[in-house]
Amino acid sequence: EYDEEVPWASCAICEHRRPPRAHHCSLCGTCILRFDHHCPWINNCVGKGNHRFFIQFLAYTAIFSLLTGLAVEPSRYDLA
């Protein structure tokens, strides 16, 4: 999974050795593999371990919002 030729670096903040593509999250205080961002909605970092679940969460949220909008829309114009 890791390129053996690329050396591991040392994190300047927590001073632990970290593999390539790992970055330090200042909010969590840890180094995260394939760090994408820190999401305030799930209060967690999005990285290698949970990226698939984060995309799934976004899809479910979009579907729920669409279905809620469609369910509310007919009653919006019903004056009877």
Side-chain angles (χ1 to χ4, degrees):
E1 180 166 310
Y2 300 110
D3 188 3
E4 298 296 328
E5 295 177 8
V6 178
W8 284 31
S10 178
C11 179
I13 299 169
C14 65
E15 299 178 358
H16 288 103
R17 288 179 43 93
R18 60 184 173 98
R21 296 190 65 196
H23 299 283
H24 190 86
C25 176
S26 60
L27 295 173
C28 292
T30 59
C31 288
I32 308 295
L33 284 174
R34 284 183 29 202
F35 180 74
D36 187 15
H37 68 284
H38 185 91
C39 180
W41 301 108
I42 61 172
N43 194 27
N44 202 359
C45 289
V46 177
K48 181 181 179 188
N50 62 353
H51 195 262
R52 185 187 84 161
F53 301 113
F54 180 70
I55 298 297
Q56 185 177 14
F57 167 73
L58 291 179
Y60 287 159
T61 303
I63 291 169
F64 176 75
S65 298
L66 178 68
L67 293 176
T68 302
L70 291 174
V72 171
E73 189 64 29
S75 65
R76 186 175 184 190
Y77 298 108
D78 187 21
L79 300 175

